[in-house]
Amino acid sequence: MDAIEKQTLPSWGGFGSFLIAVLLLMPGAAVAQEADEGPTFEVNGFIKSEYLYDTRQVVTARNEDFLLYPVEDADPDGDDATDTDNLSGFQLFSRISLGISDLPEALGADVTGYMEADFFGPGTVTDDVGQENIFRLRRAFANMVWENREVKFGLEWSPLFTLGAYPHTVATEAGAPYNPFGRQPMVKFTLKPGNFRLVGITSWQFDAFREADFQGTNGLDQQQQSALPGLHGHVQYDGDNGFFAGAGGYVRWLRPVATGERFPLGAGTAYIAYSTDAVAVRAKGIYGSTRDHVMPGGYIYDAGADPNGDFVSDAFSQLNTASGWFEIEKKGTVAPGLFLGYLAALGSSETVQGSVIDATRSPDLKRVFDISPRLALNYGAMRFAFEMQFTNATYAAALDENYAPSGDTDDVLNVRSNFTVFLFF
């Protein structure tokens, strides 16, 4: 099964021990102290129980929970071994968070902190018995806020995910692979002139959110040995009437071979959201290479463009995808919603000259689309949610001169039934 690369982590780290200690010492869900007595700690989170049924085998990024698209037919002209249904249940996305406030000012800025963890583990662990339900750091940052600017240091959602405009699906994947999904260590600068937000970020790949391996070198090492961070830039408008919109770009550099040259990969996005007390509408479009955000794409190395085998930058080219999604949902006790997503694999802008080594996911995936209606029933601290995901993937029999899927195609449909229960605290 195609999946995110995994790394071995301890089941409990220093953060886990610290968080458990804090919870044991707290008399309630939050401790509110006087400002001169020390910081305020607030604990929140939820318990999430998912029950999933798939009509066939699927490509996932964490066991069977994080759905991307159905697996291609093992034998389109004969018995299809992948046409086997599955039933599973998970609690590993249950989450706990710790907010820290009422801290002394620093350099004239208000200072807050935040840490968040779940049991989702470092990646897929389908074949690693004993690695399930690993407690892992999810987000952790220090934030400094002045009147018209702020700086954030730590682990946070990538702006390609876009906290102001992301799918609020019942499914864990929150719109992936149509919406970029990833958290990154970063330094984030935000200027806030009026309702506008000018965002600049330096970032690094992290955990499962990385490029595919290249000749045994994982994505984290490929970026680290490039000696350059990723760069994000976004312009956003955050209106007082619930309207939010923005656009931005992302570029990072990789050096897959330590003795070779580094080369750039990039992507761009635009998004819009509108929310009232009764309804919310969101949409986004993405173009470029975002393999490190749990999407198809990535890059190729063309040996024909590198006759000396020096791994020069001109021999590498990114594999582009174009994707978009739309979502509408009603708010309230009875909250129906609908998510639509589409992605197409476009290949490279360069013509392949020789043999190719690819660093991608599912290179023969031509396109995939998703129709997902849902219904959430909210009663106090409880939520009972139902979602149907109709996901159709088209696989191609060949790759053209730009390493884009081409030729005869085979369509594969999976229907996922999702019943999830949340307890919020």
Side-chain angles (χ1 to χ4, degrees), residues 82-96:
T82 62
D83 189 16
T84 304
D85 53 356
N86 288 274
L87 181 66
S88 54
F90 300 97
Q91 285 72 42
L92 44 79
F93 203 60
S94 300
R95 185 185 310 169
I96 191 165

Side-chain angles (χ1 to χ4, degrees), residues 225-228 253-256 260-264 311-313:
Q225 64 194 19
S226 77
L228 290 173
W253 289 263
L254 305 177
R255 181 181 278 132
E261 297 179 352
R262 61 191 174 206
F263 67 97
F311 296 97
V312 297
S313 61

Side-chain angles (χ1 to χ4, degrees), residues 185-202:
M186 65 176 62
V187 179
K188 178 180 179 181
F189 302 87
T190 305
L191 297 178
K192 300 182 286 186
N195 290 108
F196 286 93
R197 304 291 181 265
L198 307 178
V199 181
I201 290 176
T202 59

Side-chain angles (χ1 to χ4, degrees), residues 352-364:
V352 173
Q353 302 177 37
S355 61
V356 168
I357 301 174
D358 65 46
T360 184
R361 174 187 288 116
S362 303
D364 56 345

